[in-house]
Amino acid sequence: MVLTSKVRQLPRGVSHAPSSCTPIGPIGTQLRLVDAKWAVAVEVALGSVLESFVVDNHADGTVVRQVAREAGMTHLPSIIICNYDQGPLHSPLPKPSSHLITVSQVLLTVTCP
């Protein structure tokens, strides 16, 4: 996915704004493909989530939106609120058949709080 320059620059503006925890994002900048052949499939599966930001609380989400407005963004990024203190979410869902490839199998996390 090609992120707009304003979305790519947003983390710099957010890092200078008052927030309780550093927002993570855009999510797409925190992920790497295991193999480029999966790029289209991952982009279709995740879509605009790749431009989203993860924040610790509602107040931090408000900071991200404000910085986006100040940067002149007309389409504000989606905000995912996730308490950083709770750690990563582990899904209790059963794993798919071994002959199927999932999005999580073709992505690597670059950074994680």
Side-chain angles (χ1 to χ4, degrees), residues 16-63:
H16 292 75
S19 62
S20 60
C21 293
T22 303
I24 300 168
I27 291 175
T29 64
Q30 308 300 310
L31 304 170
R32 294 293 175 262
L33 287 166
V34 172
D35 187 330
K37 72 180 180 183
W38 298 109
V40 173
V42 168
E43 187 170 349
V44 168
L46 298 180
S48 64
V49 170
L50 296 171
E51 289 190 1
S52 300
F53 281 76
V54 178
V55 297
D56 182 58
N57 55 58
H58 178 74
D60 289 350
T62 301
V63 169

